[in-house]
Amino acid sequence: MKTIAVTGGIGAGKSVVSTVLRLMGYYVFDCDAEAKNIMDNSDVIKAELISRIHDKAVVNGIIDRRLIAEIVFNDASKLKKLNAIIHEAVRTKLAQVIADKSHTDDRIFVETAILYQSGLDRMVDEVWNVIAEDDIRIERVIRRNAVSRDEVIARIESQRFTSDYPHPNVHEINNDGLTAVIPQILNLLRK
């Protein structure tokens, strides 16, 4: 079985690619959804958010995601702390999914915006990097999330990362709004 990361910064279109793959019947492990699930259901992680991110990060057992996002996307040290809290739990869950032999697919896909920062690059055989120009990404996120341009730019900048050891097997999917995405996916599936 091959494990393939579907990655790209906010607004690039990795969720579009993942949706197409799900519609084709493939299993897609959504790191954001898994992280959310882990955060919502772990008192230990909630306590860490309060102590390491902000004393109001969790109120009455409910995580204030908007506050956390505002903090971490404007403070690199807090983002690093948040990532440290969550990444190990997500990697552990992914390892369990990969080890689960009940999957009938010959591929498992892993959707993640922060492949290298999370350490997931060491768990995958191949990387599909979804790309789009920053201006396109900014407009997509503004429309989708009803946030300001400055907030989107801060998130894009917080996700920029150049690995000293990039994955050896990377393919790009252009999601510029002009180039058809499905034929690119089909081409990669044939490899």
Side-chain angles (χ1 to χ4, degrees):
M1 179 169 38
K2 187 186 281 191
T3 305
I4 302 170
V6 177
T7 192
I10 188 169
K14 65 191 164 301
S15 294
V16 169
V17 172
S18 293
T19 297
V20 170
L21 291 166
R22 281 187 192 95
L23 290 170
M24 294 174 76
Y26 289 101
Y27 177 83
V28 180
F29 181 90
D30 182 337
C31 289
D32 285 347
E34 290 296 333
K36 181 182 184 301
N37 185 43
I38 291 165
M39 288 170 68
D40 287 343
N41 294 298
S42 171
D43 291 335
V44 172
I45 288 182
K46 288 178 182 178
E48 286 285 314
L49 293 173
I50 292 168
S51 70
R52 298 180 71 191
I53 305 299
H54 193 278
D55 62 349
K56 301 279 190 234
V58 180
V59 177
N60 298 324
I62 307 288
I63 297 171
D64 186 340
R65 286 187 163 72
R66 190 160 192 87
L67 173 65
I68 292 172
E70 184 179 311
I71 291 168
V72 302
F73 289 119
N74 290 295
D75 182 337
S77 69
K78 296 279 187 174
L79 178 61
K80 188 173 183 177
K81 289 175 184 177
L82 176 66
N83 287 341
I85 293 167
I86 303 300
H87 292 323
E88 183 176 351
V90 172
R91 285 192 307 267
T92 299
K93 177 69 173 175
L94 176 59
Q96 292 168 350
V97 169
I98 291 170
D100 180 1
K101 301 300 181 196
S102 67
H103 291 288
T104 57
D105 298 338
D106 60 344
R107 297 175 179 103
I108 290 178
F109 292 89
V110 180
E111 181 182 338
T112 179
I114 49 175
L115 176 69
Y116 295 102
Q117 302 94 312
S118 64
L120 292 169
D121 60 304
R122 296 182 301 272
M123 297 180 72
V124 299
D125 303 303
E126 189 173 322
V127 176
W128 293 5
N129 186 32
V130 184
I131 60 168
E133 294 295 324
D134 282 357
D135 288 341
I136 294 168
R137 294 169 57 198
I138 291 166
E139 291 307 314
R140 285 176 182 160
V141 177
I142 289 171
R143 281 193 314 268
R144 179 184 73 200
N145 295 9
V147 294
S148 74
R149 182 176 187 79
D150 289 341
E151 287 176 286
V152 179
I153 291 170
R155 289 182 188 196
I156 287 173
E157 291 306 319
S158 75
Q159 291 178 345
R160 285 202 203 282
F161 184 81
T162 303
S163 174
D164 292 334
Y165 304 98
H167 198 281
N169 194 9
V170 178
H171 305 280
E172 287 190 344
I173 295 176
N174 184 349
N175 186 27
D176 60 7
L178 302 173
T179 309
V181 171
I182 293 174
Q184 295 176 78
I185 293 170
L186 293 174
N187 185 46
L188 289 173
L189 288 170
R190 284 190 212 98
K191 293 185 179 201

